[in-house]
Amino acid sequence: MQLNPSQQEAVHAIRGPVLVLAGAGSGKTRVITEKIAHLITRCAIPARHIGAVTFTNKAAREMKERVGQTLGREYTRGLTVSTFHTLGLTIIRKEVKNLGMKSGFSLFDDQDSFALLKALTEDEIDADKAMLKLLQSQISNWKNAMLQPQQALEQAKLPDEQMFAEFYRRYQQNMQACNALDFDDLILLPTMLLKTNESARERWQKKFQYLLVDEYQDTNTSQYELVRLLVGKDANFTVVGDDDQSIYSWRGAQPQNLALLQRDFPQLQVIKLEQNYRSCKRILKAANILIENNPHVFDKKLFSEMDEGEPLRVIKGRNEEHEADRVVAEIVRQRFLARTPYHFFAILYRGNHQSRVFEKALLNQRIPYRMTGGQSFFARAEVKDIMAYLRLLVNPSDDTAFIRIVNLPKRGIGPQTVERIGELAHELHVGLYEAAQHHQLETRLGTREYAQVQEFVQLISQAARRCDHPPEVASTLYGLVKEIGYEEWLYEVSPSQAAAEMRYKNINELLRWVTEMVKGDTENEPLTLEQSVAKLCLRDMLSRNEEEDQADQVQLMTLHASKGLEFPHVFMVGMEEGLLPHQSSIDEGNVEEERRLAYVGITRAQQTLTFTMARERRQYGDVMKPEPSRFLFELPQDDIEWEEQRAANEEAKEQQRQSGMDLLRKALEKN
DNA sequence: ACGCGCCGAATTTTT
DNA sequence: TTCGGCGCGT
């Protein structure tokens, strides 16, 4: 299919900064893909000098795939399509020396950081979980705002702030000692480097002669700064975004970055993509009218040349179970009437906890479903365990990993022993693993304990040595897992045999990924173990299992998780004040983001859209009678069928019929 | 190995 | 308030 005029304009605008305001379903991925192709084939920019940045691995994979399809693989060699974080990691790897880092660093995920903060604060203050979360997000905010601990300390006024800033300093100190980086560092470090180091800046500006950024409304301050530093004076770049789909501001995303572009680049070209190719007219109209209730920097009005479509419906259940039953009944009916496959249906909700009743209802009717989100693969304890082994293999300074696995499975190294190792490590200013290897340790531990520690050290160091030879990596890792008796241990501690099997399967999956990455294939260069582990930490695997994606299953997910997807039939459930908009957003006066969330949900639907709610909902044990979401009243009422309204209509019709009959009967009686 | 009892969650989480 | 997960004790 041909590109429409504005899409073409977006593709052909290659001089200077370009902002593409891409409404939902307006074909933005296609525009980015075509633009990359255009740059390579028509503008003679070598693929290796083009960078495209996304937020998710999935988006990056898809984009790579589509550029490959358009151009043929041979033209895309050297093309950079990656997430912000992977790009950051690439820069850090190339600039380790300039950053004063050791290679073989670990990447900490949020859980690791949290654990570190917990350990740091433990013997100082009795911080509860909420406080630690707050501290964690404060540190993240500081990093995203590019503030070093020093500056945070200086700016902190309240004693609480000062305490947080002090923990920030200690956190950074500890991270450095562990030779570890967190996700925010992957952006912050390259940004600071490019800011201060002119030759590095020139190097990377030369590397990326053209830069494209997807989902620009989700960038935070340091990401925007990184983009600015990378594009330099020439400012040849395209960013694509939609301020109406900004739903991650609570994570530090700065949708204002869209507006800032105009200030920072006065020559900015703004191109709007307003034709929607996804939804029928009624759905799109509803979305437009809803979002008009929000203030806008850039005006935009989507239009569709699709069918008018059916009216949007509102269904009310007696309670949340009934609501779920009715959604499921609706799916069954549709499937029966129109042979609609299950994967054409999506159930979207505000919070993960809402999924349970729907799972139950689907299970009752034996309907296959798939839940995205929830507990992720990498949050599973067994995966974290083995990941800790991998991390220690590539980074002996990773104390967090050491502590996790030194006595796992149980090998008689108790907290006492670990404490002693810690003391020695502290005295010698080295990591735990190095201290465990130190001869001074022998005098401080019992013979038995010392022997156990030495066995562990041997285990790791031998495996690490063998991992230096790529052909041996696979056998070493499988051998290591066997040697520590992890499978047997899983069977011991798991609540059921099935659970143990599941867990062991996860471990094998993990090891399969690593070994495949180390081996490489026709598409992917072989990687070192270190690189592979980093990729795993960034959740950037070769390919996820596709059977699950393709199975015919009803899709269950949060509204957040639905961004970027589309479904023929969408159910937005729990459309109640307090849920959507969420109570805490109402309290904080941030209903606008909730409205955008509703907007995202609505614009996922292609053919039909059904809102549901419960008249009664159990919450904290007592029963609530929620009001319908205010967003339902903001929608064009002509295009909405409220259930009771329809019921009322039918009742009225029935009454008419009745009274007609009455009249007739009376007339007959008279005669 | 199993069971009991206690504690925590209840908003979203691209990396 | 309730449910689920985890940890400890037998």
Side-chain angles (χ1 to χ4, degrees), chain A residues 141-160:
Chain A
N141 289 342
W142 274 321
K143 289 192 177 191
N144 290 332
M146 298 180 297
L147 286 178
Q148 304 285 351
Q150 292 279 348
Q151 298 161 289
L153 263 170
E154 283 159 23
Q155 288 193 9
K157 294 186 191 71
L158 302 163
D160 277 4

Side-chain angles (χ1 to χ4, degrees), chain A residues 392 398-406 418 421 432-433 436 456:
Chain A
L392 195 58
D398 192 332
D399 288 353
T400 306
F402 181 93
I403 289 170
R404 185 177 183 104
I405 59 172
V406 68
V418 177
I421 300 172
L432 292 173
Y433 182 72
F456 176 70

Side-chain angles (χ1 to χ4, degrees), chain A residues 343-413:
Chain A
H343 71 267
F344 276 28
F345 299 97
I347 300 174
L348 309 181
Y349 36 80
R350 176 68 233 261
N352 276 311
H353 66 279
Q354 290 172 260
S355 69
R356 259 169 66 188
V357 269
F358 290 93
E359 280 188 87
K360 216 181 231 169
L362 289 163
L363 227 41
N364 276 338
Q365 299 298 316
R366 312 281 138 85
I367 296 175
Y369 65 89
R370 188 168 93 113
M371 243 183 79
T372 22
Q375 213 209 8
S376 84
F377 182 80
F378 286 92
R380 292 166 180 276
E382 70 274 16
V383 175
K384 298 229 80 182
D385 290 341
I386 300 304
M387 281 298 291
Y389 273 96
L390 297 179
R391 272 164 44 181
L392 195 58
L393 284 179
V394 297
N395 176 16
S397 308
D398 192 332
D399 288 353
T400 306
F402 181 93
I403 289 170
R404 185 177 183 104
I405 59 172
V406 68
N407 197 30
L408 193 143
K410 298 252 179 296
R411 49 172 74 88
I413 302 175

